[in-house]
Amino acid sequence: MSKTIDKACKATCDTMSVINQNTAAEQGMKKETLKAEIRRLAQEKNAVIMAHYYVDGEVQDIADFIGDSLALAQQAAKTDADIIVLCGVHFMGETAAILCPKKKVLVPDPEATCSLAESCPADEFAQFVSEHPGHTVVSYVNTTAATKAVTDVVVTSSNARQIVESLPQDTPIIFGPDQNLGGYINSLTGRNMLLWNGACHVHARFSVEKILALKSEHPGAKVLVHPECKGPVVKLADKVGSTAALLKFAIADDATEFIVATESGILHEMQKKAPQKTFIPAPPDDATCACNECEYMKMVTLEKLYRCLRDEKPVVTVPAEVAEKAIRPINRMLEISEKLGI
Ligand code: 13P
Ligand code: SF4
């Protein structure tokens, strides 16, 4: 971790490690034993552990695969493991369960949901869609399976632009649920997609003023922004992209300092891949802590991962009639992405 993060997060990190140690102590296990047990169980059960870049660093470190939302879906679709443990939020587990109906898909904490997915209840979205006949429905992957079931094609922040561009220019489009990502894609493509009024509470709270203040402290730093952020924050960016795209840029670019406006879990992998560079988390507008964390992603802990592998629960289930409909727009996304080499 960079010194900046160390200092900023010390209080949180200390508290977290006390909580983790306590829980591990309850299990009668030291952290290293816990990690060894997780790996042993994964091998014994032919389970693959997948993690999103936003989960805690120690969970990322023990995973077989880490990635952004698109990479996790692509990886789930092709794995030959018997069990998939999805260390991320619930919709990611659902997507894996829909793609792999014959496999057991586990999530360490079923309460780890997503404010963006929750901002788009399936019945209200279906009503909105029915009020706008003739529209192609494009949904961000951060949606429940039931919302995907009323969707024509799913996108992630890695492929949204290209998938929208692949639709005929005169096709009227509904885009949900993230109005910030939708507005950004409208600005890139010149489309006028109808936007659902949803947002991610983490990305929506970055502040222009705080990023500008960081810029004046670090004039050489480049600003990396996730497209779920609001328009004025996106305008400050040297690079806008999905977590994977921001990571790639940070590794390849000549700059040595980066201000990162996305969930701060990504800094763990950035720092590992580019240890000589400095990554500064952009702070939220309303807090004293310098980090902007998704509390849902941070619900996934090593202890919960261990228990879920040991007990093979909680299992993610999607009702067959929902899965049958939701698989089509997910597969359409995977097919278009493969064709476009994304
Ligand atoms: P990506 O993984 O597509 O960058 O999306 C970020 C996100 O908010 C996941 O919940
Ligand atoms: Fe959902 Fe936002 Fe958390 Fe991503 S960061 S899982 S979009 S609440």
Side-chain angles (χ1 to χ4, degrees), residues 52 54 68-69 91-92 140 142 157 226 228 242-243 297:
H52 190 270
Y54 293 166
D68 68 354
S69 308
F91 76 80
M92 295 175 174
Y140 195 30
N142 297 42
S157 50
H226 196 281
E228 287 174 23
S242 70
T243 43
M297 288 283 189

Side-chain angles (χ1 to χ4, degrees), residues 12 18 50 114 120 190 194 209 215-216 232 309 311 318 337:
T12 321
V18 170
M50 300 187 191
C114 164
C120 191
L194 267 183
E209 291 70 27
K215 268 295 273 183
S216 65
L309 254 174
D311 304 340
V318 179
S337 299

Side-chain angles (χ1 to χ4, degrees), residues 65-128:
F65 180 81
I66 49 172
D68 68 354
S69 308
L70 176 62
L72 291 173
Q74 288 170 326
Q75 196 67 22
K78 65 181 185 204
T79 185
D80 54 13
D82 296 316
I83 296 177
I84 298 172
V85 187
L86 211 312
C87 298
V89 289
H90 197 256
F91 76 80
M92 295 175 174
E94 278 190 335
T95 304
I98 293 165
L99 284 165
C100 310
K102 297 212 167 82
K103 296 188 192 298
K104 196 179 262 186
V105 177
L106 307 171
V107 287
D109 190 331
E111 304 293 315
T113 166
C114 164
S115 61
L116 181 52
E118 298 299 318
S119 72
C120 191
D123 54 344
E124 291 175 30
F125 192 60
Q127 174 70 24
F128 183 69

